[in-house]
Amino acid sequence: MTENTQQQPASNPELPTQYVPAEVEGKLYERWVDRGYFEADEKSEKPPFTVVIPPPNVTGSLHLGHAFEHTLIDAVTRRKRMQGYETLWQPGMDHAGIATQNVVERELGKEGKSRHDLGREAFVERVWKWKAESGGQISGQMRRLGDGVAWSRERFTMDEGLSKAVQTIFKRLYDDELIYRAERIINWCPRCLTAISDIEVEYQDDDGELVSLKYGEGEDSVVVATTRAETMLGDTAVAVHPDDERYAHLVGKRIKLPLTDRTIPVVADTHVDPEFGTGAVKVTPAHDPNDFEIGRRHDLPNITVMDERAVITVPGPFEGLDRLEARSAIVAALRAEGRIVAEKRPYTHSVGHCSRCKTTIEPRLSLQWWVKVGPLAKAAGDAVRDGEVAIHPKEMESRYFGWVDNLHDWCISRQLWWGHRIPVWYGPNGETVCVGPDDEAPTGEGWTQDTDVLDTWFSSGLWPFSTLGWPEQTPSVEKFYPNSILITGYDILFFWVARMMMFGLYAMDGTPPFRTIVLHGMVRDEHGKKMSKTFGNVVNPLDWMDTYGTDAVRFTLARGANPGVDVPIGEDWVQGSRNFANKVWNATRFAMMNGATVEGPLPDAADMSATDRWILSRLNAVVAEVDAYYEDYQFAKLSDSLFHFAWDEVFDWYVELSKTTFIEGGEAAKVSGRVLGEVLDVTLRLLHPIIPFVTETLWTTLTGKESVVVADWPADGGFRDTAAEREIEHLQQVITEVRRFRSDQGLQPGQKVPARLDLTGTPLAAHEAAIRQLLRLQPEGEGFHATATLPVEGATVALDLSGTIDIEAERKRLTKDLGAAEKEKAQATAKLGNEAFLAKAPDNVVEKIRGRLTKAEADIERLTAQLAGLPQG
C-alpha cells in the first residue's frame, strides 16, 4: 500500500450523522472540474491512457445504457489516473443526422412548415440554432453521473476540426479508388426520404400475406410466391435452379407477366433453393438485393415501380397508389384474372422498419456513394488475428470476424440536409471533382455540389483520432493515439467498432485506433426483459439518482457487469447499494470517532494484535485481487470483492472485534486506531472509481488531503499473515456458531446470557473480551448453572439459559424437527439408491435430491448438537 503525502491530516475530523447525496454530489463534481483533475496534458511525461466516449447523439438524454457504460469507463479512467497515468477520457457528441433532422422537422411541422419551405441553407441554420439551445442536455446529465471527462476538449462531429478530418479522409479514399458512386439496392425510408444504414433498420414480425401467383399459360406456366405483390410490376424474370428438372423445359423461354403487356424470361440461377416453395422465384432487380444480384448475373433490366415516397409510378390503373394500397388492388386484379393459386393471411414474417420513424423500409435501387470495404475490412480482421488488438471477452472475436470477413460495400450517402455534405462537385460537361479541405471548389456556370450528406457512422468512425486534431499531427495525436481501450456495447461491434478499426488503420499508417476492445452487454429489467417504452419498463436513471444517490446507481450497475453479458437491474438492487453507501459512511464515521487515524507510520507487526495483522493481511490480498479483476475487466467480481471485504470483514468483523480494544484504551488502542485508519484509507481509495462521491467526502475528512481523485492507487504491500488469518477465521466460526445457537433458542440479539468460556489451549484466549462483547455473554457469576454446552472448534461455551427458555418445550421442538430431518434423509437416500430412478430421472431432478440429502444431513448434525446442549433432567 502506498503513502499519499499531499497535505497533513485534519486534527478533529467531523462528519454529519447522515450521508445525504444531494447535498454533496453537485458541489464535489464542480470542485473536481474547477481544479482540472480530469484534464489531460500532452506535454506530461506520465505514460498516456486514452479512452473515448462513444459519442451520444446530440438529441439524446441519459438512459440506463449510458449510465452503465459511462460507469465502467469512469471506473477504469479514475483508477488509471490514480496509478499515475496522464489520463484522457475524450468527450463529445454525434450530430446524429436523421434523428436531429427529424426533431427540427417536427418543430417546423408545428409551425405549418417543412424544410423545403425554408430551403437548405436556412434549414441547416435552424438546426444549428436548435443544437445551441436544446441539444446536448446529456452533457449536464453526465456531470450528474460523475463522468471524469476532459470537458475542455469536448468535440462535436460537425465542428470545424472534425469536418476537416471528414473531408480529408473522403478525399484520400476517393483518390485511392476506395470510394465510388454506383446504383445498388439500399434500405430506403419512404418517410425520412433517405437511405439508411443496416443499424438503423429494426426487424420485427409483422402480419402480412403470402400470395402464390401463376405466370404464363398451360405447360409454359410457373407459380411464384410473394409477400410484396406490388413489386410484380417490376419483375424482369422468373428464376429456377439449373438442376431442377421440373422447369428445365422453361429455361430460356419467355412467359407473359400478368397485368402487363410484357413477357419475361425464365433464367437458371444457383441462388434459387429448389426445396423452398415451388422452387421458382420472381425476380425484381430494382426492389430486392438478392434479385439485384441475379439481375446482374443475367443482364436483366432494372425497372423501378415506385418513387421515393413508395408511390407506384408504373403507368396504368395502379399509378399514384401507395404501395400498400397497390398491394391490395393488384391482388384483387390478379384474383379476377384467375392468377391467384393460393393465399395465406395472416402470414407472419420479419419486416424491416426505420428505427427513427418506424416506417416499413423499402429495398430500392438507388444511385449512392459507397466505400469499397474489402481491403479495409481485411486489415481490421488481421489486426485482431495478429494480436495487435485484443477483444474482451475473447469469445466475442468470432462475431467480429464473422462480420468483417463478410462485409459488403458500405453505402455512405444519405439524402438529408443535416450532416457532412459530400465534397464532390459536378461540372456542366459531366466532370466530377472531389475537393479536399485545402482545395478550392470549382466555380462557374453549371458547377454544383452533390446534394447528399454522409452517413453519421462515417464521421464517428474517425472519432479516436479526429478528436485529437487529425489530420494535423498535433501534440495530442502524438501523445494520446492510439487509444488504450474502447469500452462499448456488443450491439455496435459491427457498425461503430468495425468502422473505427477500418478508418484508423487506413488513416494512421497501420496503427489501430485502440489496443483493447472491451464489450459489455445490454441493461435489462430485473426479469431479464429488454427495456422498452412498449413494455413500460424503461427506467430514467436520474430518478434513481435523485432517490438513492449517484453512487448507489453506479455501484449497482458495476456489480452486474460481467464481460459481454446482459445486465438485469431492479430498484431493489439500487436500494441495496444505497444501504452499502450508508454502511460505508456510518462505519467510517464511527471509526474516526473511535480513534481511526492515518497519522504516522504503521506500527510494527510485532506490536499488533492478531486481529490487526489479520485485517492488514486481508487488505493486501484484496488489493491484489481487485487489481487482477480490473486488468481482466471483471467489474462485477471486483465490485463484489470490495462489497464483501468492506461490509463483512472491515465493518462487521474488524470494527466490532476492535471495540473492546478502543474501550480499554492504551497503547493497543493506538495501534488498532492506526491500523483501522490504514484500512479505511486504502478501502476508500479502492472503492473510489466505482462510488466516487461518498468516498471523496470520507477520504478527505479522514486524511485531510486534497482529493482522492488524485490520490495514489493502493499497491499490494506484500504483507501476509496466514497464522493470523487462521486464528481470526477460528474466532469467527466460534462467534457464528454461538450466534446461530442463540437464534435457534429464540434469544433476542441484545439479550445477555451468563456463560463460561473454556478457551484453554487455543489462540482464542486472547479474544475472550471480544467474544463476550459480540455474543452478549456475561461472566458466570454466583449460582451459574450450565444448561447448554457447545463444543465449537476446540473451544467450549457453556450457557446458563435458566429462565430464558422453556427447556422441555425446546426439547420437544428440536426432537420433532430432528425426526423430520431424518425422514427427509431416508427418503432422499432411498431415491438415490434406486438405479431405475437414476436411469430415468433428469439430471436437474437428481441434483435437487442430492441437495435435499446434503441439507438433511446438515440439519441432523445441527439439531443433534442442540439437543445435546440442553440440560438433562
Side-chain angles (χ1 to χ4, degrees), residues 10-11 99 117 120 147 556 567 673 686 751 797:
S11 55
D117 294 324
R120 183 170 192 142
D147 285 3
T556 304
V567 182
L686 289 174
Q751 188 172 350
V797 179

Side-chain angles (χ1 to χ4, degrees), residues 214-338:
K214 185 177 76 170
Y215 288 7
E217 303 294 341
E219 291 185 355
D220 290 346
S221 66
V222 63
V223 175
V224 297
T226 182
T227 58
R228 300 160 67 214
E230 69 279 8
T231 63
M232 64 144 312
L233 299 174
D235 287 358
T236 55
V238 169
V240 297
H241 194 276
D243 299 331
D244 194 334
E245 294 182 358
R246 293 173 296 175
Y247 302 114
H249 68 289
L250 283 177
V251 175
K253 289 186 177 182
R254 298 184 73 87
I255 59 176
K256 187 172 187 305
L257 181 65
L259 305 183
T260 73
D261 295 327
R262 294 190 291 117
T263 61
I264 57 176
V266 177
V267 300
D269 196 281
T270 54
H271 171 76
V272 180
D273 181 0
E275 303 299 322
F276 183 77
T278 63
V281 297
K282 60 191 288 295
V283 182
T284 321
H287 292 277
D288 183 274
N290 294 319
D291 292 4
F292 178 77
E293 295 302 326
I294 294 175
R296 292 179 68 180
R297 288 192 289 272
H298 297 277
D299 198 24
L300 299 174
N302 301 314
I303 299 177
T304 299
V305 302
M306 61 186 81
D307 66 12
E308 61 184 10
R309 297 183 185 276
V311 173
I312 301 299
T313 56
V314 177
F318 312 110
E319 186 177 7
L321 294 179
D322 172 79
R323 57 182 165 167
L324 299 182
E325 296 172 332
R327 184 175 301 170
S328 299
I330 288 171
V331 169
L334 289 167
R335 190 182 297 113
E337 284 194 7

Side-chain angles (χ1 to χ4, degrees), residues 57 94 96-100 102 187-189 192 194-203 352-359 361 410-411 413-414 416 454-457 495 499:
N57 288 351
D94 193 283
I98 294 179
T100 306
N102 280 348
N187 302 310
W188 181 265
C189 176
C192 298
T194 181
I196 59 176
S197 67
D198 291 336
I199 196 174
E200 291 162 327
V201 178
E202 292 179 347
Y203 288 90
H353 296 260
C354 174
S355 62
R356 303 298 178 190
C357 67
K358 311 308 176 187
T359 302
I361 63 106
W410 171 20
C411 176
S413 45
R414 298 291 180 267
L416 303 171
L454 288 164
D455 178 12
T456 298
W457 297 100
F495 307 107
R499 309 273 193 254

Side-chain angles (χ1 to χ4, degrees), residues 19 21-30 32-33 38 62 67 70-71 74 78 137-149 151 540-554 692-693:
Y19 176 54
E23 294 181 359
V24 301
E25 290 177 353
K27 287 183 282 189
L28 281 183
Y29 189 82
E30 290 310 313
W32 294 334
V33 172
F38 305 142
L62 190 74
H70 290 203
T71 294
D74 196 42
R78 283 179 182 269
Q137 63 171 316
I138 199 169
S139 295
Q141 295 165 345
M142 287 165 57
R143 292 170 181 264
R144 284 285 314 276
L145 190 63
D147 285 3
V149 300
W151 285 113
N540 183 346
L542 298 173
D543 293 340
W544 279 355
M545 289 156 66
D546 289 341
T547 305
Y548 304 108
T550 296
D551 287 329
V553 175
R554 289 174 58 119
F693 293 106

Side-chain angles (χ1 to χ4, degrees), residues 714-729:
D716 176 7
F719 177 79
R720 298 290 194 279
D721 191 326
T722 54
E725 289 193 35
R726 285 195 301 269
E727 181 175 328
I728 301 305
E729 284 173 12

Side-chain angles (χ1 to χ4, degrees), residues 655-671:
V655 170
E656 292 298 319
L657 288 170
S658 301
K659 277 184 178 178
T660 53
T661 303
F662 291 132
I663 291 170
E664 291 170 0
E667 194 59 33
K670 291 181 181 179
V671 170

